[in-house]
Amino acid sequence: SFDLSQLRASHQAAWDGFWERSYIHIPSSPITVFHWHMSQYLLRISSWPGGSAPGLYGPFVVDDEVTWSGDITLNYNAEAVYYGAAAANHFEAFEPYFQAILDFMPAARRMAAELYPSCDGALYFPAHILPQGVHAAGIGRG
């Protein structure tokens, strides 16, 4: 059976734990405090252990046809999500991104061996990948 009160309590405890780990207070700039809290909220809903690394649209894909496949673009686009994670004491938010990179490593080894056969042990990461080691075919030479 489904216990809504247990689900609500678990949800509340998870968010309470998240907010207790970092805090700012700048009385002279409430707008800065607001934006900081919103950026932390977006970090939490976009990237958390057990989930997938957010692509170009984070968890906000609302269409079946998205540009660049909504993939993980291996430049500042993928990394910008995490700019404030370490400073805010949310190191665990990195896990889905690191896992996407680790999952792609077998393909990166294969691609490097095909493209650069004289470079033993090399890795080649195309500009665009997807979670779970999936290659974003036909996009950005990847």
Side-chain angles (χ1 to χ4, degrees), residues 14-33:
W15 276 104
D16 288 348
F18 175 81
W19 291 118
E20 288 170 359
R21 302 220 2 244
S22 60
Y23 178 79
I24 65 168
H25 180 69
I26 307 171
S28 63
S29 184
I31 193 74
T32 301
V33 173

Side-chain angles (χ1 to χ4, degrees), residues 30-40:
I31 193 74
T32 301
V33 173
F34 170 78
H35 284 286
W36 183 85
H37 279 94
M38 290 308 298
S39 70
Q40 295 305 296

Side-chain angles (χ1 to χ4, degrees), residues 37-73:
H37 279 94
M38 290 308 298
S39 70
Q40 295 305 296
Y41 173 76
L42 290 172
L43 171 67
R44 173 62 177 90
I45 65 171
S46 296
S47 185
W48 213 248
S52 293
L56 288 175
Y57 300 100
F60 309 107
V61 175
V62 294
D63 196 347
D64 291 336
E65 301 289 327
V66 295
T67 53
W68 300 288
S69 302
D71 64 12
I72 301 168
T73 303

